[in-house]
Amino acid sequence: MKIDIISVVPDLLNSPFAHSIMKRANDKGLLTVNVINLREYTTYARAQVDDYPFGGGAGMVMMIEPLVNAIEALQQKTNYDEVIYLTPDGETLQQKMANTLSLKNNLLMICGHYKGIDQRVRDHFITKEISIGDYVLSGGELAAAVLTDAIGRLLPGVLNDESSALTDSFQDNLLAPPVYTRPEVFRGWEIPSILKSGNHKLIDAWRMEQSLERTRQRRPDLLND
Ligand code: 6GU
């Protein structure tokens, strides 16, 4: 999969994909992330990419021309399955959406800043608008990093068996059960003895029970879905 991300702060996206599982995805050639600096596509003086809103009001709006220049230049080279705008008024990201997007080949993400992007870009170029939750970030970059991570770890071959995506919280509308590792006793705090029983049927049943209990306590809404 290839993910291209258009940003006015490309440096914000240097680190998120350079470590751990995202790095492994890149090293294995399973996920390529390209960050495109929007300022390279403006024809305005001093690399201007935003301007005052028509009708007045506080804040700046990202101009249509640099964005369309960038989108169309990228579309010359790549046939995108989705052109995604990261915005707090988009559809809230859920695991199911990450699963669906992980089946695509090429994604283009656009990170908003200031008061957002000119509505005409949304009307004519964007195919999907995504928010990562009900709070406001100062720009779309961290949201694009979150979305890219959520998608990238689902690509076949990215995770090894130990970190299988199938047992993640949310994958089956259940939160994950508690986990333990060495030592068996720390300051007198013991691990649940069943985990040492060697009986995998019992252990699986215990984990399912814990998942259900955790979900009931913390996210009863998931059980009603
Ligand atoms: Cl995608 N962008 C911004 N700026 N804030 C957000 C968001 C996106 N999702 C939640 N908050």
Side-chain angles (χ1 to χ4, degrees):
M1 173 183 284
K2 182 169 75 129
I3 299 181
D4 290 338
I5 306 176
I6 298 174
S7 165
V8 285
V9 201
D11 286 350
L12 267 179
L13 291 163
N14 285 342
S15 179
F17 312 118
H19 308 280
S20 182
I21 288 167
M22 290 300 100
K23 179 175 191 297
R24 191 196 309 158
N26 180 66
D27 291 348
K28 285 186 170 178
L30 300 169
L31 174 65
T32 305
V33 179
N34 298 308
V35 183
I36 294 100
N37 185 350
L38 181 65
R39 291 186 201 281
E40 290 174 11
Y41 289 89
T42 182
T43 51
Y44 290 86
R46 291 176 298 280
Q48 184 183 355
V49 292
D50 61 333
D51 209 340
Y52 295 98
F54 275 116
M60 304 291 273
V61 176
M62 287 172 69
M63 306 166 86
I64 189 167
E65 288 150 295
L67 280 166
V68 170
N69 288 344
I71 294 168
E72 288 188 334
L74 292 164
Q75 281 176 330
Q76 295 283 318
K77 288 179 277 181
T78 304
N79 190 11
Y80 295 104
D81 298 292
E82 298 283 1
V83 179
I84 298 168
Y85 176 44
L86 283 311
T87 176
D89 60 2
E91 184 183 348
T92 309
L93 176 63
Q94 313 268 223
Q95 188 60 46
K96 198 166 155 232
M97 193 194 292
N99 293 350
T100 303
L101 290 173
S102 75
L103 301 173
K104 310 288 185 185
N105 292 315
N106 297 296
L107 300 176
L108 177 59
M109 299 186 190
I110 295 162
C111 304
H113 263 266
Y114 322 111
K115 283 283 166 197
I117 65 176
D118 190 300
Q119 180 62 37
R120 292 167 293 183
V121 179
R122 300 171 71 161
D123 294 343
H124 298 286
F125 291 90
I126 301 297
T127 63
K128 206 168 183 56
E129 302 190 325
I130 300 178
S131 161
I132 64 163
D134 290 344
Y135 42 82
V136 179
L137 303 170
S138 50
E141 282 77 10
L142 296 181
V146 166
L147 179 58
T148 300
D149 186 298
I151 293 168
R153 62 191 295 285
L154 297 173
L155 301 176
V158 170
L159 293 189
N160 43 35
D161 274 354
E162 308 95 84
S163 42
S164 161
L166 294 175
T167 55
D168 290 337
S169 284
F170 300 112
Q171 207 48 276
D172 46 11
N173 262 8
L174 288 176
L175 301 183
V179 293
Y180 300 87
T181 187
R182 290 191 303 168
E184 251 178 69
V185 185
F186 179 78
R187 296 187 182 166
W189 305 324
E190 294 178 19
I191 69 165
S193 56
I194 193 158
L195 297 176
K196 296 181 287 176
S197 68
N199 184 332
H200 285 283
K201 254 179 121 162
L202 279 181
I203 291 171
D204 284 349
W206 180 85
R207 285 183 170 149
M208 178 51 72
E209 205 177 284
Q210 293 286 316
S211 276
L212 275 166
E213 186 51 31
R214 224 171 227 200
T215 311
R216 233 178 260 127
Q217 296 232 336
R218 302 179 179 199
R219 293 293 308 275
D221 56 299
L222 293 177
L223 296 172
N224 302 330
D225 279 0

